[in-house]
Amino acid sequence: MSGPAGLTWSLRGRGAADLPVPADTPDPDPTGGTGKGVRVCVVDSGVEPDHPLVGPLNGSWGVVKDPATRELVVRPDFTGDTCGHGTACAGIIRRTAPDCELYSVRVLGERFTGTGDMLLTGLRWAVEQGFDVINLSLSTTRTRFLEELHALADDAFFARTAIVASAHNTPVESYPWRFSSVISVGSHQEDDPALHLYNPAPPVEFFAPGQNVRVPWLGGATIRTTGNSFATPYVAGLCARILSRHPRLTTFQLKSALYLSAANVQVGTRPSNPLTEAPDDPQH
């Protein structure tokens, strides 16, 4: 039975042979790729296009108010970065997945100013473009955006666009990192700059380097900075590396690959389940 937009609640009149699905299986080193052929979009404050630690941008857009309709729209953008945050994120992605294609959608202005409407507009546009990975080192605490962001995150999940979203730096509810359909990231304090961890007590799913990280900044400079914002692009870069080797992975397979390659996940024999095994000495 099918409904609007091809939604399917049950399968009738067709079987497995009618639904072939080509798929990839991750290899033992799922993070070994370079990001080649993978399209990564940074939804942030823009990206300084000629920064030596960022390299070439494949496209740049910004959310602006249409002068005629007064509605928010996405247009080609030549402003670059308005505050440095997006350039820092792009540089971490480039360092992690050097051969990926990098794109930018600016939703923040000077001094990190922006609105939930701008975030929603830019993110929706990026999802509609079918980027492979979207880095979102931003969130909103405004609950009035919750429902739309949740639906948008689900749309991305089913379309195989991985939204890698930063958890808030303080213990507050914000979105969309809180949704299970995105890959949520916080920062750890380990010294290894190439180490990510799985969080056994979500909703934050993964921890990555985000403490005292050297990042590119405005004017071709670099700074050291701290925050979940800078752990998130590391995981986005890992996703690009995985997808460059296995382009047909779904987002939940990407999560599995990140999980299995996390430094604290011990892959071994599954422990026995006492509820499904017969007792050693059954009593009569």
Side-chain angles (χ1 to χ4, degrees), residues 213-229:
V213 181
R214 180 176 175 266
V215 299
W217 207 251
L218 297 181
T222 62
I223 65 169
R224 287 197 173 270
T225 187
T226 292
N228 293 341
S229 287

Side-chain angles (χ1 to χ4, degrees), residues 14 26 32-33 43 88 102 105 113 116 140 144 192 209-210 215 218-219 234-235 270:
R14 291 182 295 171
V43 178
L102 265 180
V105 176
T113 56
T140 178
R144 71 184 182 92
D192 190 341
V215 299
L218 297 181
Y234 178 76
V235 174
R270 183 182 298 275

Side-chain angles (χ1 to χ4, degrees), residues 45-176:
S45 62
V47 175
E48 187 172 289
D50 54 354
H51 196 293
L53 296 181
V54 173
L57 273 181
N58 294 84
S60 183
W61 297 268
V63 176
V64 297
K65 186 171 288 187
D66 186 278
T69 65
R70 309 305 295 170
E71 294 180 352
L72 293 175
V73 293
V74 178
R75 295 283 186 263
D77 179 71
F78 306 98
T79 305
D81 192 346
T82 56
C83 62
H85 194 264
T87 298
C89 293
I92 294 170
I93 293 169
R94 178 66 72 200
R95 184 166 67 216
T96 309
D99 295 329
C100 74
E101 297 177 18
L102 265 180
Y103 301 82
S104 169
V105 176
R106 182 173 52 81
V107 298
L108 290 180
E110 294 180 3
R111 297 182 295 277
F112 302 93
T113 56
T115 67
D117 287 312
M118 295 180 71
L119 169 60
L120 192 59
T121 299
L123 181 59
R124 180 185 293 112
W125 185 87
V127 170
E128 290 172 350
Q129 305 316 301
F131 290 111
D132 301 301
V133 181
I134 296 174
N135 186 89
L136 190 67
S137 291
L138 309 169
S139 66
T140 178
T141 59
R142 302 293 180 87
T143 56
R144 71 184 182 92
F145 298 108
L146 190 157
E147 187 173 336
E148 280 189 89
L149 277 172
H150 202 171
L152 183 56
D154 283 351
D155 288 345
F157 182 88
F158 292 124
R160 299 192 181 190
T161 290
I163 298 177
V164 186
S166 174
H168 203 281
N169 285 317
T170 59
V172 299
E173 290 288 320
S174 65
Y175 315 97

